[in-house]
Amino acid sequence: MTDETHADLDRLLRSGGIRLGEVQHGRLAWLVSRYGAPTLDGFSEGRRNGVIILREPPSGATAELFYRSLTPGCAVVIPRSENPGFDFLKSKLTEFGTVGPCGVDGPHEMWWGGIGWSKFLTAADSSTDRPRIVSCYPRGGNATAAFALRHSLERFDLACHIEPIDTQLRDRILCFEKTEFMIRMWTKYREPLLFVEAGAVVREAPLLPSFLGCDVALHKWNRWEMSARTLYLGRTKAAEMMLRAWQQLAASYPAIWEGYLLDQAWSLTSSQTPLDTAWLPRSYHALKGDLGAMRATILHDPQTTTLELGPDPGFASMVRVARRAGRTGAHDAFMVMTSKAETGNSIAVILRNVSASDACAVAATVEAVTGAYAADCGGYSRLELSLCAWQDDVGAAREAAAQARCRILEIAPGQHIANDFFAAHASDKALMTARHLLP
C-alpha cells in the first residue's frame, strides 16, 4: 500500500468511529492491498469488489441481499465482531480469520471473510514463504503412516521433521505428549511450523497459512470444533503464547481431549493478545471419502467424529454458537487487561443484554470500560470483561468469575462509565468491608 492509500484508510476508519489496534490495522491494510479500496457499510444493490467494513449487524433480509451482491473479489471485515448480532451474516459467509482485541487501543475482535477461498488459494501457490512440516508417531508403533506422509512431501521440496516419540499408550499420542513435541520443534527450528498428523498425505503444497502471514491457523470441524490434526504456528510471540498455554493446559489436565484444550488455549490467548488466527478451509482437513478429497491439500486417513470431543456432552452446547462465529462466548472472558497494581485482586465486568442492544452502544461501552481501566485501575491488577447475549449467559459468566475469585460488576450497554469507575467501586468495597468490621 502507498502512503496515500494508508492515509485514505485511516480517514475512513476515523469517519466511521472505528478503533483498531496495530495488528488489526495491519490485517485490514493487507486485505485492502489485495482486494482494493475499502468502503463503510454500503448495503446498496449491485455486485461489488473491494473491502466492505461493516459497523452494524444487518437484519435477516438485508444480510441475504448483501450476501447475494458479493463476488470472489470482495472481502468483508467486521471490526466489532464480538457482537452476536453479526452471527447470522457470518454463517452465510466463508470465515477467513479473526484478530483478537488489542486492549485499550483496539478493544474489539475483528472478523474477516468472504464467499470463498479461491482468491487466496490461487495466490498462495506462488508464495515463497514455506513452513517446516513437523509430525510424530508412537515409538514402537506402526511407522507406515509416517512414511506415507514423508513420501508425499518429497515432490514439494518442503523441509520436514517426522520422528517417533515415547508415549504412554502404544497406539496413540496424548495431548501433553504432542504439545511437548511441538515445544521442542519450536525451540529447534526457526521457520514457521505446520503440524500434520501422521497418517495424512499432502497432495498440494500447503502454503496458504504462511502466505496469509497469520499467527496461527487451524481448521474448525463442523465450523466450531477445533482440530489439532493440521496446526500452523507462525514465528510470532502470539503464536508461542498460544502454544505454551496449550502445553500448560495439557500438562495440568492430561485426561482431557486435545480439541477442548486447544480451544481453551486459543480462547485464553485471544483474550490477552491480538492473536491473528486463520480458519483453514476444509481442503486442509479433508478426510478419505469426502466428496472433495481429490482436490484436498492435506488428506487425513482416520475419520473424525464428535466422539473425539471426549466425555463431556455439555462442551458442544457451551461453545458451539460462539466458535461458529469465530468469537469467544460468555463462558470465556472476551478480553483480559492487566495493570501495574501488585494487589493480586481481579475484577470481572459483565456486559449484559448485548443481543438486545444497539451495536454502537455495545461497542462504546466496551471502549469506555477499557479506557476507564487504563486511566485508573482502582488497585485491581486484572480486568476480565465478558459479553453476554442473554440472561443465561450472565449466569455462566458469573460462575466463571466466581471460580476465578474475581469481584463481579454487572453493567448494561449505554451505561455511563466514568474514568474513576474502578476506583469508585474499589472504594465502595473498602467502605462495605469497614462497616462489616464495626462492632
Side-chain angles (χ1 to χ4, degrees), residues 288-420:
K288 288 185 177 179
D290 280 359
L291 291 176
M294 294 303 296
R295 299 186 301 275
T297 300
I298 299 174
L299 185 63
H300 291 276
D301 187 14
Q303 290 295 308
T304 295
T305 71
T306 53
L307 293 177
E308 290 192 351
L309 286 174
D312 184 0
F315 173 65
S317 59
M318 234 179 8
V319 302
R320 184 178 299 187
V321 173
R323 295 300 184 267
R324 280 182 171 170
R327 59 179 175 81
T328 55
H331 293 79
D332 309 295
F334 156 64
M335 180 166 53
V336 175
M337 294 177 63
T338 57
S339 72
K340 295 181 179 179
E342 298 180 354
T343 59
N345 295 331
S346 298
I347 187 167
V349 175
I350 298 172
L351 181 57
R352 66 176 183 267
N353 299 332
V354 170
S355 285
S357 303
D358 177 77
C360 286
V362 174
T365 306
V366 169
E367 294 172 10
V369 169
T370 55
Y373 185 76
D376 187 345
C377 68
Y380 294 103
S381 58
R382 180 183 174 94
L383 162 68
E384 296 189 7
L385 176 61
S386 296
L387 273 58
C388 297
W390 311 109
Q391 192 59 39
D392 288 347
D393 294 336
V394 173
R398 279 187 165 275
E399 182 180 352
Q403 289 178 351
R405 300 182 182 277
C406 295
R407 187 186 181 196
I408 301 171
L409 296 177
E410 190 176 323
I411 62 173
Q415 179 175 327
H416 175 68
I417 306 294
N419 277 347
D420 64 349

Side-chain angles (χ1 to χ4, degrees), residues 6 20 22 36 45-46 234 257 263 278 347 357 383 396 406 410 423 436:
H6 268 290
L20 298 179
E22 182 180 354
E45 295 184 3
W257 61 102
D263 179 287
I347 187 167
S357 303
L383 162 68
C406 295
E410 190 176 323
H436 178 73

Side-chain angles (χ1 to χ4, degrees), residues 240-295:
E240 182 179 11
M241 183 176 175
M242 193 192 85
L243 174 60
R244 295 193 182 279
W246 190 29
Q247 181 199 29
Q248 290 167 7
L249 288 170
S252 300
Y253 306 98
I256 302 296
W257 61 102
E258 65 180 26
Y260 177 80
L261 295 176
L262 181 59
D263 179 287
Q264 292 302 287
W266 176 84
S267 176
L268 179 64
T269 308
S270 293
S271 69
Q272 298 185 48
T273 193
L275 186 70
D276 189 352
T277 305
W279 304 112
L280 293 174
R282 180 61 175 269
S283 60
Y284 274 70
H285 199 287
L287 304 179
K288 288 185 177 179
D290 280 359
L291 291 176
M294 294 303 296
R295 299 186 301 275

